[in-house]
Amino acid sequence: MLADKVRNRAYAAAISAKVRPGDVVLDIGCGAGLTAMLAARAGAKHVYTCEQQPLIAQAAVRVIEANGLADRITVIPKMSHNLVVGVDLPEPADVVISEIVDTLLLGEGALATLEHAMRKLAKPHARAIPERGALMAQLVESDKLLNLWRPQKAEGFDLSAFHHFATVAQITPNDFATFGLRPLGSATDLFQFDFVRPDTRVARRTEDLECSGRGTIHAVFVFFEMNLAPGIQLTNDLHSDGHWGRTAFLLDRPIPAEPGDLLRIRAHHDASQFSLSAHKLPACSDQDDLAWDGPDFPANCSDRAFFPTRHGITRRRAIL
């Protein structure tokens, strides 16, 4: 992460644009202290940066001292939820900086953390970095991805009955290029997130993703777009570089597709988890489906065994 030049330059530009001389800054998730030092360099009166891991907090103190900024940055070895204005911070913050997102934005608890920080630890019109985020979905083809996450055999043994556990592919940055994910349609906006006024309520969305070319749909690729400041964006889409991994929701079986074919997806998120289901339109009578066990799932679905996975995914067979 520290060697991610794209991410570092984007945060440096956003902090320079949004931190004003005399600002009190709260930096959530200190790490090595980079964003805190960027805020001090941008002119902040004082930066209060919190870190829940004591050893990391101690290392950050040494980094900040080595860079001559110990008089302008205070490292607090606490979670932000445990900070109190008047005890840990002398006054509410003018700017709240964070980089506490995972490949789907939500997995590190960013919404709940920022909702608390903006409400309890910041001034009424405080600025936030990042400002906004979005989750996008896109149809992709990649037989290499399917072969890695669902190998048919190992040492001569048939493993196919185990495939129902392999529903979500977590792709590391190093592996991403080898899979050759080919887009089969444009990206569709699923959810928008306001990090200045975070909303932690459950949300659901149904979208029909249209295939724009002939191919085989193997997965629904979900990525984020994160606006740090006006004109400054980070993403982990198909064409981006950076330290973030990627996430693809695998279909139970590959679906041959022609231009104009539709794949209906239903997406759901709460404050920290995201889930997605998918089925092709027009529906087949015997098609497996990825789904969450939610009250808004169609009533004409018969249950199948449920298998919890990361991001809250479960499985059932859809009779459509």
Side-chain angles (χ1 to χ4, degrees):
M1 181 185 299
L2 292 175
D4 187 340
K5 293 181 179 179
V6 173
R7 172 255 191 187
N8 293 345
R9 289 168 182 165
Y11 265 88
I15 290 169
S16 178
K18 300 194 74 171
V19 173
R20 303 165 186 165
D23 278 345
V24 172
V25 173
L26 171 61
D27 176 50
I28 299 176
C30 178
L34 178 59
T35 50
M37 292 188 292
L38 289 171
R41 187 174 72 182
K45 178 174 68 176
H46 203 88
V47 182
Y48 298 88
T49 179
C50 59
E51 173 57 56
Q52 64 176 326
Q53 298 294 337
L55 292 178
I56 294 178
Q58 292 169 19
V61 168
R62 294 194 293 271
V63 170
I64 290 164
E65 289 174 345
N67 285 277
L69 292 170
D71 60 331
R72 297 178 56 204
I73 301 174
T74 299
V75 179
I76 307 169
K78 291 183 179 181
M79 294 182 64
S80 63
H81 287 274
N82 296 328
L83 299 181
V84 178
V85 173
V87 177
D88 302 293
L89 288 75
E91 61 180 294
D94 298 287
V95 183
V96 176
I97 300 172
S98 66
E99 201 269 63
I100 48 174
V101 299
D102 66 352
T103 61
L104 295 174
L105 286 181
L106 306 176
E108 295 185 18
L111 286 181
T113 296
L114 292 174
E115 190 280 330
H116 171 267
M118 299 305 291
R119 179 168 50 87
K120 292 286 191 178
L121 305 174
K123 293 174 182 172
H125 300 291
R127 288 147 271 149
I129 303 171
E131 298 177 333
R132 302 187 62 83
L135 285 177
M136 315 288 289
Q138 190 169 21
L139 303 177
V140 293
E141 177 181 64
S142 175
D143 54 356
K144 292 181 180 179
L145 180 67
L146 201 66
N147 291 337
L148 178 65
W149 282 85
R150 291 181 181 157
Q152 292 296 320
K153 290 187 177 182
E155 297 298 321
F157 296 105
D158 184 350
L159 304 178
S160 57
F162 201 72
H163 288 175
H164 53 235
F165 288 105
T167 58
V168 184
Q170 301 290 347
I171 309 168
T172 67
N174 290 336
D175 290 336
F176 180 66
T178 66
F179 290 131
L181 271 67
R182 184 171 78 92
L184 292 177
S186 58
T188 296
D189 188 332
L190 291 180
F191 297 110
Q192 294 280 338
F193 303 97
D194 181 352
F195 293 134
V196 179
R197 296 289 180 267
D199 186 348
T200 60
R201 292 175 297 180
V202 170
R204 295 177 173 86
R205 183 80 177 268
T206 299
E207 287 288 341
D208 292 340
L209 304 185
E210 183 174 353
C211 189
S212 61
R214 177 177 295 178
T216 301
I217 305 171
H218 291 107
V220 178
F221 178 69
V222 179
F223 63 93
F224 70 73
E225 292 179 347
M226 189 164 61
N227 297 317
L228 304 185
I232 303 172
Q233 185 181 83
L234 287 172
T235 182
N236 64 342
D237 66 11
L238 289 174
H239 309 292
S240 64
D241 295 319
H243 74 279
W244 279 287
R246 274 79 167 186
T247 302
F249 292 80
L250 302 176
L251 275 62
D252 274 358
R253 289 190 293 269
I255 299 177
E258 299 287 338
D261 283 355
L262 298 176
L263 189 81
R264 174 161 292 173
I265 64 171
R266 296 183 177 92
H268 161 278
H269 79 80
D270 58 19
S272 61
Q273 292 185 323
F274 173 90
S275 62
L276 182 142
S277 70
H279 63 268
K280 188 179 179 183
L281 299 178
C284 298
S285 61
D286 185 24
Q287 182 175 318
D288 285 340
D289 193 21
L290 291 175
W292 70 83
D293 185 21
D296 63 337
F297 201 75
N300 59 342
C301 291
S302 61
D303 286 346
R304 184 181 175 183
F306 291 95
F307 302 99
T309 69
R310 294 184 65 182
H311 304 294
I313 296 298
T314 58
R315 296 168 60 84
R316 58 170 47 166
R317 179 179 293 273
I319 307 300
L320 302 168

